[in-house]
Amino acid sequence: MILSCTVNKKPVRLECEPGEALADVLRAAGYKEVKKACGTGNCGLCTILLDEVPVASCSIFAARAEGRAITTIQGLKKEAEELGAYIAAEGAEQCGYCSPGFVLTALAMEREFRAQGMGRFDELAARHYLAGNLCRCSGYQGHMRALKKYWEARNG
Amino acid sequence: MNIATYRRPSNLDEAYDLVVKQGAYPLGGGAWSMSVGRPIASAVDLCDLGLRYIRVEGKNIAVGAMATARDLERSSLLADVFGPLFPEALGGIAGVQVRNIVTAGGSVAGRYGFSELLVVLLALDASLVFYNDGTRPLSEYLGAPRGGAFLLEKILLPLDKKASYQGLRHAATDFPVLSVCACRARAGWRIAVGARPGVAAICPGAGASLGSTGSPGEQMALEAGRIAAGELSFGEDLRAGAEYRRSVCSVLVARAIRRISYDS
Amino acid sequence: MDKSYSVVHRSLAKIDALGLIQGKPAYTDDLAPGDALVVKLLRSPYAFAKIKSIDKSQALAVGGVACILDWKDVPRIPYTRAGQGHPEPSPHDRFILDNYVRYIGDEVAIVAAEDEATAEKAISLIKVEYEILEPLLDFEKAIDNTVVVHPESEIHDMFPIGFEPGRNIAASYKMRIGDVEKELSASDVVLRRSFFTQAQAHVAMEPHAAFASLDIHGRLVIVSSTQNPFHTRRLLAQSLGIPIRDLRVVKPRIGGGFGGKQHIHVEPFVALVALATKRSARIALTRKEVFESTFTRHRMRIDIEAGANRNGVLNVMDVRVLSDTGAYGEHALTVFMVAGSKTLPLYNKMKAVGYGGAVVYTNHLSAGAFRGYGAIQGNFALESMMDEIAHEIHMDPIEFRERNMIREGQTSEVFKIMGEGSEGVEMVIESCKLDRCIARGRELIGWDSKRLSWEVSPGIVRAHGMAIAMQGSGIPLVDMGSATLELQDGGWFKLRVGATDLGTGSDTILAQIAAEALGVGPEDIKVYASDTDHSPFDVGAYASSTTYVSGNAVLKTALAMRKVLVEAVAEKYALKPECVEFDGKNFFGPEGAMLTNLVDLSFDTLYHDRALMKTLSSTASFTGGKAPPPYMAGFAEIEVDLGTGKVKLLRYVAVVDCGTTINPNLARIQVEGGLLQGIGMALFERVVFGDRGKLMTNSLSRYAIPSREDVGEIIVEFAESYEPSGPYGAKSVGEIGIDTPPAAIANAIYNAIGVRLPQTPFTPDVVWKAILEHDPGPTTPKNLRPQTQLPR
Ligand SMILES: Cc1cc2nc3c(=O)[nH]c(=O)nc-3n(C[C@H](O)[C@H](O)[C@H](O)COP(=O)(O)OP(=O)(O)OC[C@H]3O[C@@H](n4cnc5c(N)ncnc54)[C@H](O)[C@@H]3O)c2cc1C
Ligand code: FES
Ligand code: FES
């Protein structure tokens, strides 16, 4: 089938099989920023935003994206760069393979937390929100330090 | 997952026709179907049927089959009625990126042993509304053998009950080793246990032992736990053995009961 | 010791950080050409079988299938996949494809097609007739079993490692220092215990991937997610039977390695397809394949007999190890050796030490290199044992350790006797702040000898436990690293290294070392790494070698470069080199007279000054004469739910002596990441095999690694020392973090429930069982009776 949707605000038509994982379709179409590590929904590396909501693109079939808006990390360049600067300054990322999915989920989290009116950064809530974003290198501590500083700089 | 033909009907009659009359495969979130990976000859995507809602309908809360786990978790309506029950029960299902996909309908229709949602729904004595096929209590549905095709439209939850959830996992995002929900209503208690690893089941004896008391004491809670552990069957899987589950069952049932007693 | 650094010892951001965070295509599979053939592997469904016939005809008839290769189509040359120096200490005990399959997941045939679906279809159409053989699945029964995993005659070792395939022994070893029996009988207390560790999976987030193509000269170019491009080039050439000169191996960014990519796993398959079809070929393993068919940590059974006196003197340890290498013997001997050589020197005052055992073949997937590399297994046994002895003689576990542990200026006989593949090297420890690590750690965790466990509410017990550890810094006299610096127009430098950044940030710290030595800014060093055609030789990233070995090579190269620059200026101004000073920007002559600057020099030497024109460059290499160990103390605070057996890790304190931290942030993240993997091994990562040898825990749904919700606070501090032989005083930090959690957590669990858990992982059911079976004696911290004292 031809999947019509937008990727990072650009209308695209992607050749695919309806049951293919959206992650595979996006990678094949050149969106290499969508990583894949487990293929079973456990690691969060393949996270994209589908109509602004984070979903595991390995666990959603391509046809489901018909007519909808996909955002990859490349579609949130500015925000990713801002949060990315904190992550880099903290030395929080190692191999970086998990970073695009992590940053995208963290940005979605920021929006949700703000909408809920969170004031001080709630680390436990953040750990819970991001629990599905696995990282085997970093031990997570640096991620959390970076997020706290980022949050405080922007919402403090 | 290989899907030979894919359709996305926009009304329930059409979907019903495809699923129930023609035997096509309904897709809820599709996450589980993807991970199982079996080829599907004819798939019917339920996403355009307007089944994604959580709302009050008469004396019930109606949860549309396409409501996602995260919808349930974040619903202020459910929070008002049940407190932290849903976030506590469902918050451990993988990460938000999966909970944003998986649906209430898929979890119920799949009858998964690991399903926390089924444990909660069973304890709450929820009913299932099948499109064109009437309404049945969840307990009856789970008790009957898997049968012919159906289209689950929504789930009805009572408004007048309190329930609390207790579960155990290895890692936070792993599947549960055991899950328990204790529900207190005017008529009495209902206690459900899932991930045995078999599908959620009611512990009638444990519920009955509590009678209609609102705040059972320590000894009653412990006793109910012991009864529950004795009246259910448990098995082994990758995560734990039967004896362990039985023992944890008594502990978690007691904790769940105590939790509502204290909360009220 | 000059500590006024300007570039090293500073937390610069990783040079590739922002690009990776934004998801720029940088990893192997991101870079594979779109028109490459997709390579998939047909794998064995049986743990042990002989292939009687393979019928490829139906599969070959599928449109879009480019080639299918089986064991008859590939060179039959015994080789090893272990990325190690030459000659490899691992036996050459496998072929690219063989007519025997030795574990579920072993490769049977290579299929290349235009796309993945076609390749998969072809795989399903290959008909293989197997003669199913009885598998050998119990490693404790492997030696002299009637089942022989490797009956073939061509396989061999490269030098004596105790290789006896007829007895299912891949390697064996034995050593003794002093009179073990005498010391045991002279000790007040003698304990004998057995410990078991599991075949932990690496779970690097990027699955193994490679692609191959032929360049215009017909040379084979392999791009691969490898930790050791040069070893890969050599092993691959040998296994394919082609000259090393006809191969080039390039490593792009890697999505984690942890030892899992210190092997060749997929490279031979794409290489063969590229050679056979003259087209590009790519492969990326699925997570299931990574679990089932790449390597794991060596499963071990470690028996220790130890003797001590009641006054706290540890006299003797006799350690016997049985290690399961699975179907093939990659890293069999060396991992086994490290289980002793990087643990026993911690207690260097013992009068006698015995160490020995065997590494055996079974029909499970192979074991290989994995961060910690035997030391974590050994540490779990040794440090559990230390607590047991301390308990037995009624001494605080810390005090017992402090009385017996190694200190700065001391040595251990073990260093000399035990190396990795053969003998070790003598080494006096010039930097060791283990005492400070312990002192600071006990302060941070709030250690109180009289109260190692306490009840916070009925049935909920908290406890402390600790362990100490050491590692190495490269393999002395074996590991070698090199670097080349070259001045470029505009006054910046190209730094070419063979070192392999696996995500550790080593490219960044090597640039920091070069910049510091040259006196230039880090932005003036551009790193190009890990391309066998363009990088100078380096063994690769393993054995905690990069900072120490490659770092020293870079330091030597940069100091040589300074000399080259000064000499060029001296020549230009007809001065003696001693009279020229360089401050990183400008060159000064006698009396501080300004001569020229780096930018002008670069243009002069490359374009302007006919007399001077040349490329200013330097190259140097480094091989360690020793491997100064980093040290650490790890402290766990746990909470045990006596009702469910669930252990929660509330806090982990790690105080590490890794010499100077070249980049403190990156050093810290190395430790934090290592800790988490150790914590995973201790608490979560359960490996289950089915009766017929199938790995049941073969996906991330079934094999849970810790998420960020599973750990509480992790506190890492450094007790910095200065290692005179290291670059700017640095030692290694890549592995040390992983070693302590299994023992520290086991010790904490003991303190909580009074039961010693001898086997990882300590999942709730295991702890629950221990609580149930425990007969609370008078020495337990509290009389715990889970049935009567039901927790809330
Ligand atoms: C990584 C991961 C971890 C998970 N962990 C947990 C966990 O810890 N606990 C837990 O409870 N669950 C867990 N799940 C499962 C999840 O909660 C859902 O139960 C599961 O994914 C099914 O939901 P779905 O929407 O994906 O179903 P689908 O795959 O869409 O459907 C499942 C089945 O139900 C049928 N079906 C779907 N909707 C209807 C309908 N309206 N009418 C009739 N039939 C229907 C489908 O035909 C199919 O047979 C996990 C899932 C993943 C991917
Ligand atoms: S690849 Fe999608 S969640 Fe792991
Ligand atoms: S940085 Fe490597 S997986 Fe997260």
Side-chain angles (χ1 to χ4, degrees):
Chain A
M1 69 178 277
I2 300 287
L3 172 66
S4 306
C5 57
T6 67
V7 180
N8 301 331
K9 304 222 162 71
K10 232 179 78 194
V12 294
R13 291 165 60 77
L14 307 174
E15 171 81 49
C16 69
E17 297 295 326
E20 248 181 295
L22 188 53
D24 293 337
V25 175
L26 289 169
R27 279 190 66 81
Y31 301 98
K32 303 290 187 191
E33 65 271 28
V34 181
K35 306 298 184 205
K36 200 175 154 188
C38 73
T40 47
N42 298 93
C43 75
L45 265 79
C46 63
T47 304
I48 57 160
L49 303 184
L50 193 59
D51 292 341
E52 305 294 315
V53 173
V55 297
S57 63
C58 72
S59 298
I60 199 155
F61 51 97
R64 186 49 78 76
E66 175 68 28
R68 303 174 71 177
I70 292 170
T71 311
T72 73
I73 193 80
Q74 288 285 317
L76 290 177
K77 261 207 179 107
K78 206 178 126 272
E79 296 89 329
E81 224 164 277
E82 265 180 67
L83 173 52
Y86 284 84
I87 294 173
E90 204 57 49
E93 132 284 13
Q94 282 275 288
C95 76
Y97 203 67
C98 67
S99 294
F102 165 66
V103 170
L104 207 52
T105 315
L107 291 171
M109 172 182 83
E110 188 193 6
R111 271 187 228 170
E112 246 179 67
F113 281 5
R114 267 208 202 147
Q116 288 163 19
M118 181 189 292
R120 290 242 318 275
F121 182 68
D122 180 345
E123 178 165 339
L124 284 183
R127 280 186 186 256
H128 181 59
Y129 193 101
L130 296 166
N133 290 88
L134 297 180
C135 172
R136 189 61 156 170
C137 302
S138 74
Y140 304 116
Q141 308 301 310
H143 279 175
M144 302 318 294
R145 287 191 291 269
L147 277 173
K148 181 158 189 277
K149 289 183 183 166
Y150 168 81
W151 178 271
E152 282 166 359
R154 286 165 51 101
N155 304 282
Chain B
M1 171 173 62
N2 183 0
I3 296 178
T5 55
Y6 169 81
R7 267 165 299 193
R8 198 196 270 193
S10 52
N11 67 68
L12 275 161
D13 288 324
E14 202 184 327
Y16 179 83
D17 189 67
L18 288 167
V19 171
V20 178
K21 300 223 176 105
Q22 300 182 33
Y25 186 100
L27 282 171
W32 197 254
S33 305
M34 289 275 310
S35 72
V36 173
R38 244 174 255 130
I40 297 172
S42 171
V44 178
D45 191 341
L46 309 181
C47 70
D48 279 350
L49 302 175
L51 293 181
R52 186 175 169 190
Y53 53 79
I54 300 170
R55 62 189 180 215
V56 176
E57 288 184 2
K59 279 190 288 182
N60 294 304
I61 294 179
V63 174
M66 291 299 284
T68 65
R70 198 139 166 78
D71 292 342
L72 294 165
E73 211 183 321
R74 298 183 65 201
S75 157
S76 51
L77 177 57
L78 290 176
D80 286 347
V81 179
F82 298 109
L85 176 65
F86 283 90
E88 282 181 5
L90 306 183
I93 300 177
V96 285
Q97 42 282 93
V98 166
R99 301 203 295 280
N100 277 326
I101 300 174
V102 301
T103 59
S107 298
V108 171
R111 300 189 188 198
Y112 307 110
F114 51 70
S115 175
E116 289 93 350
L117 182 63
L118 283 178
V119 176
V120 171
L121 296 180
L122 192 58
L124 290 174
D125 201 9
S127 298
L128 307 180
V129 178
F130 297 95
Y131 188 70
N132 277 349
D133 285 324
T135 303
R136 275 202 285 166
L138 172 66
S139 49
E140 191 188 313
Y141 164 81
L142 288 179
R146 281 171 199 264
F150 59 85
L151 182 62
L152 181 66
E153 183 186 341
K154 61 187 168 190
I155 302 156
L156 301 178
L157 308 178
L159 274 162
D160 56 351
K161 294 185 175 167
K162 290 274 169 267
S164 85
Y165 175 82
Q166 291 282 319
L168 181 78
R169 300 168 183 275
H170 289 178
T173 58
D174 194 8
F175 288 87
V177 174
L178 201 84
S179 35
V180 169
C181 186
C183 171
R184 193 189 65 196
R186 216 160 291 134
W189 290 76
R190 267 173 83 87
I191 290 161
V193 179
R196 302 174 291 116
V199 74
I202 285 287
C203 315
S209 76
L210 298 167
S212 57
T213 142
S215 296
E218 185 64 19
Q219 286 314 313
M220 279 183 93
L222 291 177
E223 183 56 22
R226 267 192 288 273
I227 297 173
E231 65 187 322
L232 292 177
S233 65
F234 297 89
E236 184 181 354
D237 65 2
L238 285 176
R239 289 174 178 83
E243 276 326 294
Y244 175 68
R245 287 194 154 95
R246 189 179 298 284
S247 163
V248 168
C249 173
S250 77
V251 173
L252 295 187
V253 165
R255 286 182 191 176
I257 293 168
R258 233 184 255 129
R259 178 86 188 275
I260 333 182
S261 314
Y262 293 149
D263 282 357
S264 48
Chain C
M1 196 194 312
D2 174 16
K3 286 216 169 171
S4 54
Y5 304 123
S6 48
V7 190
V8 300
H9 205 37
R10 277 181 46 200
S11 292
L12 302 187
K14 244 162 101 251
I15 53 183
D16 49 2
L18 274 180
L20 297 181
I21 288 166
Q22 291 169 13
K24 299 258 164 71
Y27 305 89
T28 301
D29 196 53
D30 298 346
L31 304 172
D35 62 352
L37 291 168
V38 174
V39 176
K40 289 260 159 197
L41 302 168
L42 172 63
R43 297 182 177 278
S44 169
Y46 303 110
F48 198 22
K50 188 172 181 190
I51 295 171
K52 287 163 75 179
S53 68
I54 300 186
D55 177 2
K56 304 185 281 197
S57 54
Q58 274 189 48
L60 279 168
V62 176
V65 173
C67 80
I68 301 179
L69 306 171
D70 65 37
W71 68 279
K72 292 198 210 86
D73 307 314
V74 307
R76 188 171 175 80
I77 303 171
Y79 80 119
T80 176
R81 289 191 185 171
Q84 296 178 299
H86 185 267
E88 302 83 14
S90 297
H92 284 208
D93 60 3
R94 62 158 91 217
F95 308 95
I96 293 177
L97 296 175
D98 193 2
N99 60 333
Y100 277 88
V101 282
R102 296 186 178 78
Y103 68 94
I104 294 175
D106 208 350
E107 294 92 6
V108 173
I110 310 164
V111 174
E114 296 300 334
D115 57 55
E116 195 167 326
T118 311
E120 262 156 18
K121 176 148 189 228
I123 283 196
S124 69
L125 292 172
I126 299 175
K127 301 235 153 46
V128 185
E129 205 188 329
Y130 295 97
E131 178 190 336
I132 301 166
L133 305 171
E134 182 59 29
L136 172 52
L137 300 173
D138 182 348
F139 81 114
E140 294 184 75
K141 298 203 180 116
I143 295 176
D144 296 328
N145 199 293
T146 49
V147 176
V148 176
V149 177
H150 284 278
E152 64 279 18
S153 58
E154 308 100 306
I155 61 172
H156 58 87
D157 51 9
M158 299 294 280
F159 55 85
I161 56 169
F163 179 58
E164 293 179 81
R167 305 182 60 202
N168 291 319
I169 297 177
S172 58
Y173 175 82
K174 187 177 162 143
M175 75 91 182
R176 300 221 129 191
I177 296 169
D179 188 336
V180 171
E181 281 68 31
K182 190 179 130 225
E183 292 302 332
L184 282 170
S185 58
S187 295
D188 296 345
V189 174
V190 173
L191 295 184
R192 194 176 302 161
R193 297 286 185 273
S194 296
F195 299 92
F196 291 83
T197 59
Q198 292 221 38
Q200 189 186 17
H202 303 79
V203 199
M205 282 296 155
E206 178 206 21
H208 303 254
F211 61 90
S213 48
L214 300 178
D215 71 8
I216 49 166
H217 313 294
R219 279 172 87 227
L220 192 55
V221 182
I222 313 262
V223 177
S224 167
S225 56
T226 176
Q227 291 178 226
N228 36 245
F230 285 95
H231 291 337
T232 295
R233 183 177 70 172
R234 187 189 79 246
L235 297 169
L236 203 51
Q238 188 246 330
S239 66
L240 295 169
I242 63 175
I244 296 178
R245 63 165 185 267
D246 288 343
L247 266 168
R248 173 181 171 197
V249 176
V250 181
K251 175 220 70 115
R253 304 325 298 170
I254 303 191
F258 320 122
K261 292 167 183 169
Q262 194 198 335
H263 314 101
I264 56 179
H265 280 296
V266 288
E267 295 87 342
F269 309 119
V270 283
L272 283 165
V273 169
L275 289 170
T277 62
K278 309 279 180 274
R279 286 184 57 185
S280 301
R282 69 195 286 179
I283 189 165
L285 298 187
T286 62
R287 181 57 55 187
K288 182 165 175 282
E289 286 178 293
V290 174
F291 270 109
E292 291 184 348
S293 308
T294 66
F295 298 169
T296 67
R297 190 182 289 295
H298 286 82
R299 240 201 314 191
M300 286 188 189
R301 174 199 160 120
I302 302 181
D303 298 339
I304 303 189
E305 198 170 357
N309 290 349
R310 297 226 170 258
N311 62 0
V313 173
L314 177 67
N315 295 320
V316 53
M317 277 206 187
D318 191 15
V319 183
R320 244 154 282 164
V321 176
L322 186 70
S323 170
D324 180 0
T325 192
Y328 302 97
E330 277 82 8
H331 302 268
L333 175 68
T334 40
V335 167
F336 163 91
M337 293 295 279
V338 169
S341 68
K342 290 182 187 163
T343 56
L344 292 169
L346 277 172
Y347 301 108
N348 62 333
K349 295 167 192 67
M350 286 187 276
K351 297 177 203 78
V353 181
Y355 187 84
V359 190
V360 296
Y361 288 117
T362 59
N363 291 109
H364 284 137
L365 73 156
S366 286
F370 191 160
R371 193 182 206 169
Y373 203 81
I376 184 171
Q377 294 98 314
N379 192 276
F380 170 55
L382 174 69
E383 287 295 280
S384 294
M385 198 68 180
M386 288 301 285
D387 258 43
E388 287 230 35
I389 301 170
H391 183 72
E392 193 69 28
I393 61 173
H394 303 288
M395 188 175 273
D396 174 59
I398 291 187
E399 192 187 336
F400 180 52
R401 285 179 174 81
E402 284 176 334
R403 286 193 185 198
N404 293 286
M405 73 193 190
I406 194 164
R407 298 186 184 251
E408 208 161 88
Q410 300 180 349
T411 186
S412 159
E413 279 185 70
V414 176
F415 289 137
K416 180 160 184 275
I417 294 178
M418 294 180 72
E420 294 217 348
S422 49
E423 277 182 15
V425 294
E426 235 173 306
M427 172 164 59
V428 173
I429 298 302
E430 292 181 273
S431 61
C432 173
K433 296 284 176 275
L434 195 46
D435 44 352
R436 275 207 349 238
C437 294
I438 294 180
R440 179 64 180 145
R442 78 183 286 163
E443 186 178 318
L444 286 169
I445 200 88
W447 185 273
D448 174 355
S449 316
K450 292 187 203 68
R451 194 169 169 267
L452 289 178
S453 77
W454 63 101
E455 206 164 29
V456 285
S457 58
I460 306 289
V461 177
R462 290 195 182 171
H464 285 155
M466 64 88 65
I468 60 175
M470 61 175 282
Q471 198 73 24
S473 298
I475 309 171
L477 307 181
V478 171
D479 286 348
M480 193 272 271
S482 322
T484 298
L485 276 162
E486 201 180 299
L487 179 65
Q488 304 292 298
D489 37 0
W492 59 281
F493 297 88
K494 210 154 73 180
L495 172 62
R496 288 186 284 137
V497 290
T500 313
D501 189 335
L502 332 174
T504 53
S506 70
D507 285 353
T508 306
I509 63 137
L510 294 178
Q512 284 180 266
I513 291 172
E516 181 73 40
L518 284 164
V520 303
E523 65 285 355
D524 285 325
I525 306 285
K526 299 297 172 203
V527 184
Y528 188 80
S530 313
D531 175 337
T532 59
D533 268 13
H534 298 288
S535 308
F537 184 84
D538 191 296
V539 289
Y542 57 84
S544 293
S545 63
T546 305
T547 303
Y548 184 74
V549 176
S550 310
N552 261 322
V554 169
L555 178 59
K556 271 173 86 177
T557 307
L559 294 176
M561 188 70 209
R562 268 192 95 96
K563 232 172 123 209
V564 168
L565 297 172
V566 164
E567 278 167 5
V569 173
E571 190 183 342
K572 181 174 166 84
Y573 293 94
L575 291 166
K576 286 204 180 117
E578 306 87 82
C579 303
V580 177
E581 290 282 323
F582 175 53
D583 72 356
K585 274 205 177 74
N586 298 310
F587 295 86
F588 303 93
E591 273 121 58
M594 164 89 136
L595 301 173
T596 181
N597 61 45
L598 193 59
V599 179
D600 289 347
L601 178 70
S602 71
F603 279 94
D604 286 348
T605 52
L606 292 174
Y607 303 107
H608 306 152
D609 194 333
R610 270 166 56 192
L612 256 185
M613 273 167 77
K614 63 180 163 200
T615 297
L616 298 183
S617 71
S618 67
T619 295
S621 302
F622 178 85
T623 307
K626 57 185 206 166
Y631 295 93
M632 74 163 277
F635 293 79
E637 180 171 327
I638 60 161
E639 181 174 289
V640 186
D641 179 338
L642 299 179
T644 62
K646 172 106 178 163
V647 176
K648 250 201 279 180
L649 182 69
L650 303 177
R651 277 200 300 159
Y652 204 94
V653 168
V655 186
V656 180
D657 162 18
C658 61
T660 303
T661 50
I662 299 291
N663 184 318
N665 270 353
L666 296 181
R668 175 158 64 165
I669 212 94
Q670 276 299 309
V671 176
E672 289 170 346
L675 287 173
L676 202 77
Q677 290 176 358
I679 292 164
M681 177 162 162
L683 289 176
F684 301 105
E685 298 176 35
R686 155 137 77 183
V687 180
V688 182
F689 288 101
D691 324 333
R692 304 306 296 164
K694 180 162 177 67
L695 179 71
M696 308 307 289
T697 40
N698 60 359
S699 77
L700 276 174
S701 288
R702 295 161 159 239
Y703 184 90
I705 63 170
S707 77
R708 73 188 75 225
E709 263 194 301
D710 291 306
V711 282
E713 203 183 355
I714 292 187
I715 301 162
V716 173
E717 280 194 11
F718 293 97
E720 287 206 359
S721 63
Y722 188 89
E723 168 54 41
S725 69
Y728 297 108
K731 299 187 279 190
S732 82
V733 70
E735 293 182 275
I736 181 79
I738 202 172
D739 293 333
T740 57
I745 293 172
N747 290 339
I749 293 175
Y750 178 86
N751 292 334
I753 66 170
V755 187
R756 172 65 44 193
L757 297 182
Q759 179 164 0
T760 61
F762 321 127
T763 47
D765 51 334
V766 170
V767 177
W768 167 79
K769 199 153 170 253
I771 295 170
L772 267 196
E773 286 169 5
H774 178 51
D775 171 27
T779 54
T780 29
K782 297 236 159 51
N783 270 9
L784 308 171
R785 291 180 207 280
Q787 287 95 332
T788 55
Q789 192 180 6
L790 217 118
R792 342 203 111 176

